[in-house]
Amino acid sequence: MISSKAICTGKKKIKLFIALLFVFIGTAFAESYNIGLVIESDASIAYVDRFSAMLSFSSGEVVNEELLKAARSKDIRGEVIEYEKAFSSAVKNEEDASLIRRNVRDKSVYASNVITLDLDENDLYYVSLSDEAAIRYIKHINDLDELYYIRVETDRGLSDVEIFLDGTPLFHFIYSEFVETSAEEEILKYLTLRYKGSDYTLLRFDGTMGVSIYADSALASRYRSYVLLPFGLHRIRLQSPGFEPYETDYVAASSFDTLNYEMTELSSGALFISTIPYSNEIYYQGQIVDSGYVMDATYPFSLIVNKDGYETRSLQSDSAESSLVTVLLPSELYLSERTEEKKNEFYTHLLITLLSFGSSVATDVVADVYSLDYLRPLTVAFQGFSVIELVRTVTALFEYRDSLSYGI
């Protein structure tokens, strides 16, 4: 008879399975917030690449509730009919499918999708005039939530840049790929507020070197020296080869902030590297080393050693060392089939051990319950066999470990 406890446990498992199923279904059908990007000519491509990177950085997940509500409430059908007659004979099924996709949107977080559009001369002409009907039409047939248009005029290395959103002018500035402008920071501030709302901080790191930025132990998504952080307390960690990691607690509480940092250079010294057998392909921090000698090594450091017929070795040291010896192993020792064979042997012996031990327990219990003395020898046999298999299991485990570590 099945106990009530087992029934309760079964119900909980079923509920958990259903919950996980709905999570999977919700993830599989998650919708995107589509952002269109239109360029005027080939002269603007250099800046468009940078602006596209800023868009992707700021709108990776659109969480601004007001922006989402506005996007969901748009009435597409009535806006495009008149312009559609003049510009396209798009089938109504495509229009209806787009409407259906928009009407079911009910999520508070959208993954953005930045799409660069290649318009024909006719469409581009009307978009450049900020023609509202043309913009609504192009957004509709491409299933866009909003459309950016960039107009660029280049002269003597400088670009006169204008940025429009749905036909409305946003920014007008002079751009050079060799000179930083304050416009870039202003654009990032605008995009952050637009897509993230007022509960995010655009944090700029002001230092003298390139660093890897970690926020709360995770590598932060960044645009150049900027990261986005939700309001609250964060643990910031900066890392750069040859320098001690820089760590600090940071409270995000404003729309924009700057974090100044200084990093301490790690100690350095001469480093002798030797290999058995000898190899002349030693790479220290990605640079080949002549004669196995580094005049001014910093710590921590990483090494890669190559030699024909031997396995490549990757080494890393966090402490100061004056010499380092590494042993290379022949490639023929590293047989994936051998490792797989040892793994299978280990699992086979482990299964037999569990089965034989379980059988000894089962026969012992049955003999006690029903006073079946003739089962006693069988119990002893199972026990002895399980001990033998246990020894084989341990041996196979160590052989599997050696195969993983040394390829033997």
Side-chain angles (χ1 to χ4, degrees):
M1 184 174 180
I2 302 176
S3 65
S4 59
K5 181 178 180 181
I7 294 174
C8 181
T9 303
K11 288 181 177 179
K12 288 182 178 178
K13 290 181 178 179
I14 291 174
K15 289 181 179 179
L16 177 60
F17 172 76
I18 293 174
L20 292 174
L21 181 62
F22 274 106
V23 169
F24 169 77
I25 292 174
T27 303
F29 291 92
E31 299 204 45
S32 61
Y33 190 89
N34 296 324
I35 302 172
L37 191 57
V38 175
I39 61 177
E40 185 180 53
S41 65
D42 292 340
S44 61
I45 289 178
Y47 185 76
V48 167
D49 287 342
R50 181 170 289 191
F51 183 70
S52 179
M54 285 191 280
L55 269 179
S56 299
F57 163 72
S58 302
S59 65
E61 285 185 344
V62 184
V63 296
N64 186 343
E65 290 289 345
E66 296 302 320
L67 182 65
L68 293 174
K69 289 177 182 177
R72 287 195 292 266
S73 65
K74 290 182 297 186
D75 180 11
I76 302 298
R77 187 184 299 271
E79 293 177 343
V80 301
I81 291 177
E82 181 179 351
Y83 198 80
E84 192 175 53
K85 291 178 181 178
F87 268 74
S88 172
S89 59
V91 295
K92 298 301 178 183
N93 289 338
E94 180 183 350
E95 176 187 334
D96 294 338
S98 176
L99 287 168
I100 291 172
R101 284 196 298 271
R102 293 176 182 276
N103 290 338
V104 298
R105 288 183 172 175
D106 57 357
K107 300 183 181 301
S108 60
V109 177
Y110 281 50
S112 73
N113 184 26
V114 179
I115 305 167
T116 301
L117 301 179
D118 185 14
L119 301 183
D120 60 34
E121 293 183 2
N122 202 16
D123 286 355
L124 183 59
Y125 172 74
Y126 282 96
V127 169
S128 66
L129 295 179
S130 297
D131 183 279
E132 293 183 7
I135 291 171
R136 287 196 297 266
Y137 167 74
I138 291 170
K139 288 171 61 178
H140 168 63
I141 63 174
N142 292 282
D143 196 23
L144 302 176
D145 291 284
E146 50 192 20
L147 179 66
Y148 285 90
Y149 167 63
I150 300 180
R151 176 188 296 152
V152 179
E153 294 182 4
T154 302
D155 181 28
R156 299 179 183 178
L158 296 178
S159 299
D160 184 11
V161 182
E162 291 183 272
I163 300 177
F164 300 79
L165 173 58
D166 291 340
T168 302
L170 288 182
F171 298 98
H172 186 190
F173 56 94
I174 302 298
Y175 163 76
S176 169
E177 58 180 311
F178 305 106
V179 180
E180 294 288 342
T181 65
S182 60
E184 184 167 71
E185 194 165 279
E186 293 304 313
I187 293 173
L188 281 172
K189 290 178 181 178
Y190 171 83
L191 296 177
T192 299
L193 183 62
R194 179 169 184 81
Y195 297 113
K196 299 300 184 185
S198 56
D199 295 333
Y200 272 74
T201 295
L202 176 64
L203 181 61
R204 180 170 64 89
F205 290 83
D206 189 6
T208 57
M209 65 186 67
V211 295
S212 297
I213 303 172
Y214 293 81
D216 304 321
S217 301
L219 187 64
S221 175
R222 61 190 291 187
Y223 172 78
R224 299 168 78 85
S225 299
Y226 299 88
V227 299
L228 284 169
L229 297 174
F231 279 8
L233 177 63
H234 300 277
R235 184 66 178 173
I236 303 296
R237 178 183 175 89
L238 308 181
Q239 293 181 187
S240 183
F243 293 83
E244 292 183 2
Y246 173 90
E247 291 191 79
T248 185
D249 288 326
Y250 173 77
V251 178
S254 59
S255 60
F256 177 79
D257 199 4
T258 300
L259 179 64
N260 298 293
Y261 66 90
E262 291 184 4
M263 301 187 72
T264 303
E265 189 173 0
L266 291 169
S267 58
S268 62
L271 174 65
F272 294 89
I273 308 166
S274 59
T275 67
I276 303 174
Y278 171 78
S279 171
N280 61 354
E281 287 190 64
I282 303 173
Y283 295 87
Y284 164 82
Q285 304 288 55
Q287 300 293 324
I288 195 165
V289 176
D290 293 330
S291 304
Y293 175 70
V294 180
M295 175 69 74
D296 193 22
T298 58
Y299 308 92
F301 63 81
S302 61
L303 291 176
I304 295 178
V305 183
N306 293 326
K307 185 175 177 65
D308 289 341
Y310 292 82
E311 284 298 303
T312 298
R313 292 295 304 272
S314 297
L315 305 170
Q316 184 163 343
S317 177
D318 295 325
S319 58
E321 300 182 47
S322 58
S323 64
L324 184 66
V325 180
T326 181
V327 178
L328 303 178
L329 297 178
S331 298
E332 60 264 20
L333 293 180
Y334 282 79
L335 301 176
S336 59
E337 297 84 357
R338 178 68 171 168
T339 300
E340 188 68 21
E341 177 185 334
K342 289 300 181 182
K343 181 181 74 171
N344 291 335
E345 286 182 10
F346 165 66
Y347 283 122
T348 300
H349 287 301
L350 177 62
L351 179 61
I352 295 174
T353 300
L354 294 175
L355 290 174
S356 58
F357 179 74
S359 299
S360 70
V361 173
T363 55
D364 190 43
V365 171
V366 172
D368 287 341
V369 172
Y370 296 101
S371 300
L372 302 176
D373 292 337
Y374 64 84
L375 290 179
R376 301 297 182 186
L378 188 58
T379 300
V380 174
F382 277 130
Q383 288 175 345
F385 189 66
S386 65
V387 171
I388 294 173
E389 282 301 316
L390 178 60
V391 174
R392 291 175 177 172
T393 300
V394 173
T395 303
L397 174 61
F398 281 106
E399 289 179 351
Y400 179 38
R401 181 205 63 180
D402 292 341
S403 181
L404 284 175
S405 303
Y406 309 114
I408 58 177

